[in-house]
Amino acid sequence: MKSVVLAIESSCDETAAAVLLGDRVLSNVVAGQDVHARYGGVVPELASRAHQGNIVPVVSEALRLSGMTLPDIDVVACTAGPGLMGALLVGTSFAKSLALALGKTLIGVNHMQGHILAHFIRAGEDQPVPSFPFLCLTVSGGHTQLVLVKGPLAMQVIGETLDDAAGEAFDKAAKLLGLPYPGGPQVDRLADLGEDSRFKFTQPKVPGLDFSFSGLKTSLLYQVKALERLQPNARTVHLNDICASYRKAVVDYLLAVTTRAMHQTGVRTLALAGGVSANRLLRAQLQEIAGREGWKLFIPPLAYCTDNAAMIGMAAAFLHESGISHGMDLKPMARMEY
Ligand code: KG4
Ligand code: ZN
């Protein structure tokens, strides 16, 4: 019997709820939080308050759209970490109360594991899913990781960023260029209109399979300042070319480290996860490399790449299958290992 999972995600600035029947998504509701835009980044206290306001309507809507009622639910799942403590507290407290009141199984999920297991959500029988082992490049606003996935619950981080995440590298560049938050999609859009060889960025040099993005951002700042000494409105005049050159630098760098990791591990399947998966150049370049190298490439639909609760439900289904559940002492964790 496939279990029905009601999942809640509240680790950052999206309040999300989803209902799954096995690996099928019956509903997937996400409420964003516009309140952060005017601060140019997520304000943790405002995120917690928005989650409190959103959680009841979002969960109700997910239930309504799924056609399920509370008694139909087998498992109540929530993101236990990593994330903003106040934001996680809203989701975990809500899930715990619901599971307790209904007498249902409670499962706390690692958000990063959720991003990876989103690849196993199926829209139909014939939809292929990655086979183990595979490598997952997770690129979001908070994380950049290369994870060797040996099984649904056997994951090993073999590389990660030592400073900014890939999404942060885009967001900080966008802020410097005067573009609204979150800037990743804006940089991507303007980059399509620009010339990517106009400005040069040296690739960061980090040993092993780790990443560092802070140097690229600093290099952008210095280049913009140098341009402005010659031409005060350079930032605006060269905006598209700057975006194109910077996007190329970030994507080339992500691909170089990922390719090294694929060669080192000998794995032939690559999966992409996290909000930066939306980047058009990254997707196109990955398709090209995968074709050349003969890798199988998996990129989930965008709705399952950015933060969502369906991925948390999918991870919970795997945990449930393995007999893992949590008690009322489940604690949210700002940092959480695999
Ligand atoms: O996974 P996600 O929705 O939330 C986090 O867990 O962080 O990722 C959001 C990040 C933001 O930094 C956003 O700027 C970036 O993904 N992003 C993009 C694009 N779309 C979203 N970065 C570059 N190009 C895009 N098209
Ligand atoms: Zn995320």
Side-chain angles (χ1 to χ4, degrees), residues 9 11-12 111-112 115 138 140-143 274-275 305-308 311:
E9 150 66 30
S11 64
C12 190
H111 178 90
M112 301 310 292
H115 269 302
T138 309
S140 72
H143 297 270
C305 281
T306 52
D307 283 353
N308 66 89
M311 68 182 197

mmCIF file of all heavy atoms in Angstrom, residues 9 11-12 111-112 115 138 140-143 274-275 305-308 311, ligand 2:
data_model
loop_
_atom_site.group_PDB
_atom_site.id
_atom_site.type_symbol
_atom_site.label_atom_id
_atom_site.label_comp_id
_atom_site.label_asym_id
_atom_site.label_seq_id
_atom_site.Cartn_x
_atom_site.Cartn_y
_atom_site.Cartn_z
ATOM 1 N N GLU A 9 7.217 22.515 4.151
ATOM 2 C CA GLU A 9 8.578 23.071 4.002
ATOM 3 C C GLU A 9 8.539 24.543 4.442
ATOM 4 O O GLU A 9 7.708 25.314 3.973
ATOM 5 C CB GLU A 9 9.019 22.939 2.534
ATOM 6 C CG GLU A 9 9.985 23.991 2.009
ATOM 7 C CD GLU A 9 11.366 23.990 2.644
ATOM 8 O OE1 GLU A 9 11.844 22.930 3.074
ATOM 9 O OE2 GLU A 9 11.961 25.084 2.736
ATOM 10 N N SER A 11 11.920 26.212 5.468
ATOM 11 C CA SER A 11 13.291 26.439 5.943
ATOM 12 C C SER A 11 13.824 27.838 5.656
ATOM 13 O O SER A 11 14.727 28.311 6.321
ATOM 14 C CB SER A 11 14.232 25.408 5.330
ATOM 15 O OG SER A 11 14.275 25.587 3.931
ATOM 16 N N CYS A 12 13.240 28.510 4.659
ATOM 17 C CA CYS A 12 13.776 29.839 4.314
ATOM 18 C C CYS A 12 12.628 30.821 4.092
ATOM 19 O O CYS A 12 11.921 31.148 5.036
ATOM 20 C CB CYS A 12 14.696 29.725 3.115
ATOM 21 S SG CYS A 12 15.621 31.222 2.792
ATOM 22 N N HIS A 111 16.478 19.046 4.422
ATOM 23 C CA HIS A 111 16.105 19.823 3.236
ATOM 24 C C HIS A 111 16.987 19.491 2.017
ATOM 25 O O HIS A 111 16.493 19.381 0.876
ATOM 26 C CB HIS A 111 16.218 21.311 3.600
ATOM 27 C CG HIS A 111 15.923 22.262 2.504
ATOM 28 N ND1 HIS A 111 14.662 22.744 2.253
ATOM 29 C CD2 HIS A 111 16.718 22.827 1.564
ATOM 30 C CE1 HIS A 111 14.702 23.574 1.231
ATOM 31 N NE2 HIS A 111 15.943 23.640 0.794
ATOM 32 N N MET A 112 18.287 19.300 2.262
ATOM 33 C CA MET A 112 19.219 19.032 1.163
ATOM 34 C C MET A 112 18.963 17.649 0.549
ATOM 35 O O MET A 112 19.063 17.469 -0.656
ATOM 36 C CB MET A 112 20.674 19.148 1.641
ATOM 37 C CG MET A 112 21.020 20.501 2.213
ATOM 38 S SD MET A 112 20.545 21.866 1.134
ATOM 39 C CE MET A 112 21.666 21.635 -0.225
ATOM 40 N N HIS A 115 16.038 18.048 -1.743
ATOM 41 C CA HIS A 115 16.380 18.572 -3.077
ATOM 42 C C HIS A 115 16.816 17.429 -3.996
ATOM 43 O O HIS A 115 16.449 17.380 -5.168
ATOM 44 C CB HIS A 115 17.520 19.587 -2.972
ATOM 45 C CG HIS A 115 17.044 21.011 -2.792
ATOM 46 N ND1 HIS A 115 16.219 21.625 -3.692
ATOM 47 C CD2 HIS A 115 17.292 21.934 -1.830
ATOM 48 C CE1 HIS A 115 15.974 22.870 -3.299
ATOM 49 N NE2 HIS A 115 16.611 23.083 -2.164
ATOM 50 N N THR A 138 23.926 20.281 -6.354
ATOM 51 C CA THR A 138 22.850 21.069 -5.756
ATOM 52 C C THR A 138 23.296 22.518 -5.682
ATOM 53 O O THR A 138 24.277 22.836 -4.995
ATOM 54 C CB THR A 138 22.514 20.551 -4.338
ATOM 55 O OG1 THR A 138 22.311 19.148 -4.405
ATOM 56 C CG2 THR A 138 21.253 21.212 -3.798
ATOM 57 N N SER A 140 21.781 26.229 -4.876
ATOM 58 C CA SER A 140 20.641 27.049 -4.462
ATOM 59 C C SER A 140 21.156 28.371 -3.903
ATOM 60 O O SER A 140 22.342 28.682 -4.016
ATOM 61 C CB SER A 140 19.826 26.299 -3.414
ATOM 62 O OG SER A 140 20.530 26.253 -2.209
ATOM 63 N N GLY A 141 20.245 29.124 -3.284
ATOM 64 C CA GLY A 141 20.638 30.410 -2.717
ATOM 65 C C GLY A 141 21.478 30.233 -1.464
ATOM 66 O O GLY A 141 22.222 31.127 -1.067
ATOM 67 N N GLY A 142 21.363 29.087 -0.824
ATOM 68 C CA GLY A 142 22.083 28.864 0.431
ATOM 69 C C GLY A 142 23.154 27.795 0.339
ATOM 70 O O GLY A 142 24.007 27.700 1.228
ATOM 71 N N HIS A 143 23.125 26.975 -0.705
ATOM 72 C CA HIS A 143 24.051 25.837 -0.765
ATOM 73 C C HIS A 143 24.618 25.606 -2.150
ATOM 74 O O HIS A 143 23.949 25.855 -3.150
ATOM 75 C CB HIS A 143 23.334 24.547 -0.346
ATOM 76 C CG HIS A 143 22.853 24.588 1.067
ATOM 77 N ND1 HIS A 143 23.607 24.165 2.120
ATOM 78 C CD2 HIS A 143 21.694 25.036 1.585
ATOM 79 C CE1 HIS A 143 22.928 24.344 3.240
ATOM 80 N NE2 HIS A 143 21.765 24.878 2.945
ATOM 81 N N GLY A 274 18.170 22.398 -6.991
ATOM 82 C CA GLY A 274 18.278 23.740 -6.424
ATOM 83 C C GLY A 274 17.845 24.818 -7.410
ATOM 84 O O GLY A 274 17.779 24.583 -8.624
ATOM 85 N N GLY A 275 17.558 26.000 -6.879
ATOM 86 C CA GLY A 275 16.984 27.095 -7.669
ATOM 87 C C GLY A 275 17.829 27.551 -8.849
ATOM 88 O O GLY A 275 17.293 27.991 -9.868
ATOM 89 N N CYS A 305 12.721 22.067 -8.434
ATOM 90 C CA CYS A 305 14.116 22.507 -8.242
ATOM 91 C C CYS A 305 14.177 23.578 -7.171
ATOM 92 O O CYS A 305 15.016 23.539 -6.279
ATOM 93 C CB CYS A 305 14.667 23.107 -9.533
ATOM 94 S SG CYS A 305 15.174 21.874 -10.731
ATOM 95 N N THR A 306 13.290 24.566 -7.262
ATOM 96 C CA THR A 306 13.259 25.614 -6.241
ATOM 97 C C THR A 306 12.592 25.029 -4.988
ATOM 98 O O THR A 306 12.045 23.937 -5.035
ATOM 99 C CB THR A 306 12.457 26.833 -6.755
ATOM 100 O OG1 THR A 306 11.196 26.347 -7.220
ATOM 101 C CG2 THR A 306 13.148 27.526 -7.899
ATOM 102 N N ASP A 307 12.663 25.753 -3.875
ATOM 103 C CA ASP A 307 12.149 25.200 -2.622
ATOM 104 C C ASP A 307 10.667 24.856 -2.740
ATOM 105 O O ASP A 307 9.863 25.672 -3.196
ATOM 106 C CB ASP A 307 12.377 26.201 -1.478
ATOM 107 C CG ASP A 307 13.833 26.184 -1.034
ATOM 108 O OD1 ASP A 307 14.591 25.314 -1.515
ATOM 109 O OD2 ASP A 307 14.200 27.028 -0.205
ATOM 110 N N ASN A 308 10.332 23.632 -2.328
ATOM 111 C CA ASN A 308 8.950 23.149 -2.420
ATOM 112 C C ASN A 308 8.757 22.051 -1.399
ATOM 113 O O ASN A 308 9.735 21.530 -0.837
ATOM 114 C CB ASN A 308 8.700 22.625 -3.843
ATOM 115 C CG ASN A 308 9.518 21.394 -4.148
ATOM 116 O OD1 ASN A 308 9.085 20.268 -3.906
ATOM 117 N ND2 ASN A 308 10.743 21.544 -4.643
ATOM 118 N N MET A 311 9.238 17.781 -2.614
ATOM 119 C CA MET A 311 10.531 17.091 -2.435
ATOM 120 C C MET A 311 10.678 16.583 -0.994
ATOM 121 O O MET A 311 11.274 15.530 -0.758
ATOM 122 C CB MET A 311 11.692 18.021 -2.822
ATOM 123 C CG MET A 311 11.906 19.209 -1.883
ATOM 124 S SD MET A 311 13.256 20.264 -2.481
ATOM 125 C CE MET A 311 13.620 21.209 -0.979
HETATM 126 ZN ZN ZN B 2 16.537 24.772 -0.927
#
